[in-house]
């Protein structure tokens, strides 16, 4: 039995961006207890946001890419590396390939901007997911919003 089909696109219009923020609120704020005032930041204005939607338009997941100066603090100052972040998949859509499709769309956006690699800060429970997509963990575990994370990178 297959799940619902979905599409992933860059969130360019205001309705798509609002759908991205709604998924993040559902996953990070409601489910994981991340304070809302730190979930949304100044980087949202300059990031490339991607959105996964079911055929009926229901938002299923989101993520964002920071690049250039916006990513520098997260990538050790290397302007050729993008920063994948805020990857969130709504609970009913987990296990359907939505997360992997979102990562692929973010990597495609990074390649289109001439980036050579993508960094991310993975919640430690998600390390295996990102490893299966070709990411390698580096550096020590650290807390972000009270949740254990590890830095990871994948060359493009």
């Amino acid at each position: 039995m297959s799940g619902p089909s979905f599409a992933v696109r860059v969130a360019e219009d205001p309705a798509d961006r609002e759908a991205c923020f709604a998924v993040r609120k559902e996953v990070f704020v409601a489910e994981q207890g991340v304070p809302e005032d730190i979930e949304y930041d100044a980087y949202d204005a300059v990031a490339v946001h991607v959105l996964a939607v079911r055929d009926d338009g229901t938002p299923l997941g989101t993520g964002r890419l920071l690049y250039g100066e916006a990513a520098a603090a997260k990538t050790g100052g290397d302007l050729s590396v993008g920063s994948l972040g805020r990857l969130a998949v709504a609970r009913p859509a987990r296990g359907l390939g939505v997360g992997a499709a979102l990562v692929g769309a973010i990597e495609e956006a990074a390649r289109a901007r001439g980036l050579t690699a993508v960094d991310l800060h993975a919640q430690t429970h998600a390390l295996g997911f990102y490893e299966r997509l070709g990411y390698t963990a580096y550096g020590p575990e650290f807390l972000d919003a009270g949740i254990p994370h590890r830095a990871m990178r994948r060359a493009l």
Side-chain angles (χ1 to χ4, degrees), residues 7-142:
V8 176
R9 62 180 180 249
V10 173
E12 292 178 348
D13 67 54
D16 276 358
R17 290 175 66 100
E18 286 306 312
C20 291
F21 297 149
V23 171
R24 284 169 47 186
K25 185 172 185 175
E26 175 187 336
V27 173
F28 295 126
V29 178
E31 252 184 66
Q32 297 185 352
V34 173
E36 196 164 355
D37 63 328
I38 67 170
E39 173 51 33
Y40 307 101
D41 60 26
Y43 295 119
D44 283 326
V46 297
V48 176
H49 297 270
V50 294
L51 175 66
V53 292
R54 202 166 56 195
D55 287 346
D56 66 4
T58 302
L60 301 177
T62 188
R64 74 179 186 186
L65 171 70
L66 300 178
Y67 61 97
E69 288 300 325
K74 298 176 182 292
T75 63
D78 186 342
L79 298 182
S80 71
V81 179
S83 176
L84 183 160
R86 302 304 202 268
L87 189 77
V89 176
R91 189 183 304 270
R94 293 179 192 155
L96 302 176
V98 173
L102 287 164
V103 171
I106 290 167
E107 291 172 349
E108 187 177 307
R111 281 188 200 92
R113 285 157 180 80
L115 302 177
T116 60
V118 172
D119 266 17
L120 59 87
H121 293 164
Q123 293 183 8
T124 55
H125 71 83
L127 287 171
F129 166 77
Y130 289 111
E131 287 168 346
R132 286 189 296 278
L133 297 176
Y135 286 80
T136 302
Y138 67 90
E141 185 176 290
F142 61 93

